[in-house]
Amino acid sequence: MMDKELIKERFAGAISTYDRAAVAQRHIAERLAELMAPYAPEGGTVFEAGCGTGIMSRLIMERLHPQRLYMVDLSESYRSLLADLDPDKAVFRAGDAEEMPLPYGLSAVVSSSALQWFERPERFLARSADALDEGGVIAIATFGVENMREIGSLSGVRLHYPSCEQLRRMIPSAMTLVHFSEQIITLTFGSAREVLTHLRQTGVSGIERPLGVTATRRLIADYDAGYSDGKGGVTLTYHPIYMVARKGTAERR
């Protein structure tokens, strides 16, 4: 089971460093915004699951011009980082988006780099479809099986990432899949220690609990030896998967 309290604690601890360190996550949010724009209705009501510091939230406001954006995150700590958004349109709610009742009459349900933390993502997607108006969209960016494979292979502990086929099967029957793609993003760092710092600064880890000192030293040594980029650094893999589905017909606007 997902330890939601640990997840909340980890991301709350990264508030001051996330935006600077989240290079891959920002790219993913920008790509998702680009992919959903041709299908998502403008001027409607949007529900965003896992808003964090508001990278995706600001893109939603810029691209979709919603009359109302509900931004949801586990941690209350993020509220202050969203204060620059129009309070008449952007509303923050602290809580578990996976369990929280969704308002009906939505034009879009959006989530970037958060679905992997859900216990039952297929259930959330089904509830999202029910809450959408006809023509509304679900736009999701999550991660596939190659995500952070370096950490997973060395630690032996990682999140369970679904395959592309498993994700496709999660799309509710009321929805028509209009876009599905995957991507490999390879970041380079000077050393394995820098990778671990990056993971801490983004609140992300393939490991549920911190390793002990001896195990961490072994992981660092094995990482430096096994995942060289050939130029004196090491690599870290992100494997985003993008899904956009439309309720009803799949015609573009």
Side-chain angles (χ1 to χ4, degrees), residues 162-181:
S163 67
C164 288
E165 184 55 37
Q166 287 172 323
L167 285 169
R168 285 177 182 272
R169 289 200 297 265
M170 290 182 193
I171 301 298
S173 59
M175 308 295 296
T176 300
L177 189 62
V178 295
H179 180 88
F180 190 99
S181 64

Side-chain angles (χ1 to χ4, degrees), residues 7-251:
I7 293 167
K8 179 168 70 173
E9 174 187 314
R10 190 158 47 201
F11 280 102
I15 282 179
S16 64
T17 57
Y18 186 89
D19 279 350
R20 181 177 69 255
V23 177
Q25 290 86 346
R26 184 175 298 278
H27 169 87
I28 291 164
E30 290 171 350
R31 178 64 177 151
L32 182 62
E34 187 179 290
L35 293 170
M36 73 179 183
Y39 302 101
E42 293 188 19
T45 301
V46 179
F47 182 94
E48 182 191 3
C51 67
T53 61
I55 293 173
M56 190 73 217
S57 311
R58 292 174 175 84
L59 291 169
I60 291 169
M61 296 297 286
E62 291 171 8
R63 298 295 185 93
L64 302 185
H65 310 290
Q67 287 301 307
R68 180 61 56 92
L69 169 61
Y70 293 105
M71 305 170 293
V72 177
D73 201 275
L74 283 172
S75 179
E76 171 68 30
S77 304
Y78 286 111
R79 184 185 296 275
S80 61
L81 302 183
L82 305 167
D84 60 302
L85 296 173
D86 185 345
D88 292 329
K89 294 184 177 181
V91 178
F92 175 79
R93 293 178 175 176
D96 187 349
E98 185 172 8
E99 301 297 334
M100 182 181 293
L102 275 66
Y104 279 78
L106 294 174
S107 58
V109 175
V110 181
S111 181
S112 183
S113 301
L115 199 72
Q116 69 276 7
W117 303 113
F118 284 18
E119 198 69 57
R120 295 178 59 194
E122 68 283 356
R123 179 171 170 267
F124 173 75
L125 294 174
R127 294 197 302 117
S128 297
D130 289 343
L132 286 171
D133 277 343
E134 191 75 7
V137 304
I138 296 174
I140 301 290
T142 187
F143 294 101
V145 296
E146 292 296 311
N147 201 59
M148 296 189 189
R149 59 184 179 82
E150 299 89 346
I151 294 290
S153 69
L154 296 174
S155 69
V157 181
R158 64 189 302 184
L159 288 176
H160 171 70
Y161 296 108
S163 67
C164 288
E165 184 55 37
Q166 287 172 323
L167 285 169
R168 285 177 182 272
R169 289 200 297 265
M170 290 182 193
I171 301 298
S173 59
M175 308 295 296
T176 300
L177 189 62
V178 295
H179 180 88
F180 190 99
S181 64
E182 59 183 321
Q183 186 179 29
I184 294 294
I185 300 172
T186 303
L187 300 185
T188 57
F189 297 87
S191 67
R193 287 189 183 278
E194 290 185 16
V195 172
L196 297 184
T197 298
H198 165 77
L199 297 180
R200 185 174 65 253
Q201 290 179 342
T202 54
V204 176
S205 172
I207 305 165
E208 291 193 2
R209 294 288 177 181
L211 296 173
V213 174
T214 300
T216 299
R217 286 175 178 167
R218 185 182 305 116
L219 184 146
I220 288 171
D222 291 346
Y223 202 125
D224 283 332
Y227 292 103
S228 169
D229 66 352
K231 301 176 182 178
V234 295
T235 62
L236 177 66
T237 302
Y238 282 89
H239 180 195
I241 297 176
Y242 306 94
M243 304 186 295
V244 181
R246 190 171 188 269
K247 191 168 183 177
T249 62
E251 295 174 2

